[in-house]
Amino acid sequence: MAESLFISDLHLCEERPATVALFETFMRQRAPRAGTLYMLGDIFEAWVGDDDRSAVNLTVEQHIAEVATKGVQVFFMVGNRDFLLGGAFAERTGCEILTDPSVVDVCGTDTLLVHGDSLCTDDRAHQTYRAQAYSSEWKRAMLAKPLEERLAIARQYRQASMAGNQLKSDSIMDVNQDTVVQVMRERKVHRLIHGHTHRPAVHDFEIDGQPAQRIVLAQWENQGSVLCWDHDGYHLETVRA
Ligand code: MN
């Protein structure tokens, strides 16, 4: 089956049992019917390393492994919350880590996939943090710390991030359209799918006179949202409890 599903921004954690349950429903009932499942980042609220064997992490891993065993190709692109996720996770679940950015063939159209935070270039503070934290040196140093220390750092970071985001204006937290056009031109695509901003929408515009499209995935809270693509085009599905 050639159908591709796209999800992002579930922010799964122990404090959100309802969202974890929605994910379990989706993985049991819907995902096995697809050909490919793309998870485009911030699936977890925080990921401090593949050695963090929390109950939620184990549940998610088990569901991905089951879906992969059923023959669904699962791709996992990390987001700014779960960018420390790595090879051990991929090995345990049978998913493939997808680089941000990646161009993939979705039903015959080259499609650019990113988590989305790289497009928010008006948020200078995040871009500075991102340039540092995504470096292999920073990640190595972070992962060398004891698990308890990493969990404490993640808690502090989330509190600081929440406080910081309250001070940022709405437009700073969204993508920069010039950056969008620039990366789409560089990658020679006219379709882009991403999450991160929690502003689900389909944006139609033009690049050099050609129609272009940017699809923003929805975050999961009280219900889940899935972008489904097959040879008839795309549609959105809702996952309900
Ligand atoms: Mn994000």
Side-chain angles (χ1 to χ4, degrees):
M1 194 192 289
E3 190 190 26
S4 293
L5 305 182
F6 301 83
I7 60 172
S8 73
D9 302 280
L10 280 69
H11 295 271
L12 298 176
C13 57
E14 262 156 74
E15 292 79 12
R16 295 200 179 101
T19 315
V20 175
L22 284 173
F23 175 74
E24 295 197 68
T25 301
F26 167 73
M27 292 300 269
R28 270 198 210 104
Q29 296 175 6
R30 185 59 180 92
R33 288 167 23 220
T36 311
L37 169 62
Y38 292 97
M39 308 175 92
L40 296 187
D42 290 358
I43 300 304
F44 297 96
E45 174 68 2
W47 189 270
V48 299
D50 293 357
D51 56 340
D52 178 14
R53 317 299 288 137
S54 74
V56 168
N57 293 359
L58 290 173
T59 300
V60 174
E61 285 192 11
Q62 191 190 335
H63 280 287
I64 296 175
E66 272 168 29
V67 165
T69 303
K70 288 173 183 162
V72 181
Q73 213 175 354
V74 182
F75 290 101
F76 196 109
M77 181 180 281
V78 299
N80 52 300
R81 303 294 187 137
D82 46 20
F83 70 96
L84 286 174
L85 185 141
F89 175 91
E91 203 145 301
R92 290 195 295 259
T93 58
C95 77
E96 198 174 311
I97 305 287
L98 198 58
T99 308
D100 180 353
S102 281
V103 176
V104 301
D105 180 326
V106 180
C107 298
T109 301
D110 280 346
T111 304
L112 177 62
L113 306 180
V114 296
H115 171 58
D117 61 317
S118 62
L119 303 172
C120 300
T121 46
D122 294 329
D123 188 349
R124 299 276 170 78
H126 178 69
Q127 296 308 323
T128 305
Y129 162 79
R130 191 178 195 273
Q132 178 199 45
Y134 279 46
S135 71
S136 43
E137 295 79 22
W138 192 94
K139 286 196 275 191
R140 237 198 325 272
M142 186 66 169
L143 290 171
K145 295 179 197 294
L147 178 59
E148 282 311 313
E149 194 180 332
R150 278 177 274 143
L151 288 168
I153 291 170
R155 273 193 298 275
Q156 283 164 13
Y157 171 75
R158 275 156 67 192
Q159 279 160 7
S161 167
M162 272 190 285
N165 286 347
Q166 277 166 5
L167 299 173
K168 288 176 190 169
S169 76
D170 266 13
S171 61
I172 279 179
M173 302 287 286
D174 202 358
V175 302
N176 176 297
Q177 181 64 15
D178 292 340
T179 305
V180 167
V181 170
Q182 187 190 328
V183 296
M184 290 181 79
R185 237 188 229 133
E186 275 168 18
R187 300 282 164 168
K188 299 182 171 61
V189 295
H190 289 86
R191 185 184 294 150
L192 164 64
I193 300 173
H194 70 85
H196 177 68
T197 59
H198 297 198
R199 292 162 198 245
V202 178
H203 299 276
D204 290 300
F205 51 101
E206 284 191 356
I207 300 177
D208 306 324
Q210 298 287 317
Q213 199 169 48
R214 176 170 70 91
I215 301 182
V216 189
L217 304 174
Q219 73 278 18
W220 288 36
E221 277 165 37
N222 301 321
Q223 58 180 38
S225 177
V226 187
L227 173 68
C228 313
W229 216 297
D230 61 24
H231 284 284
D232 295 329
Y234 73 87
H235 66 275
L236 292 166
E237 286 180 16
T238 301
V239 185
R240 290 192 175 84

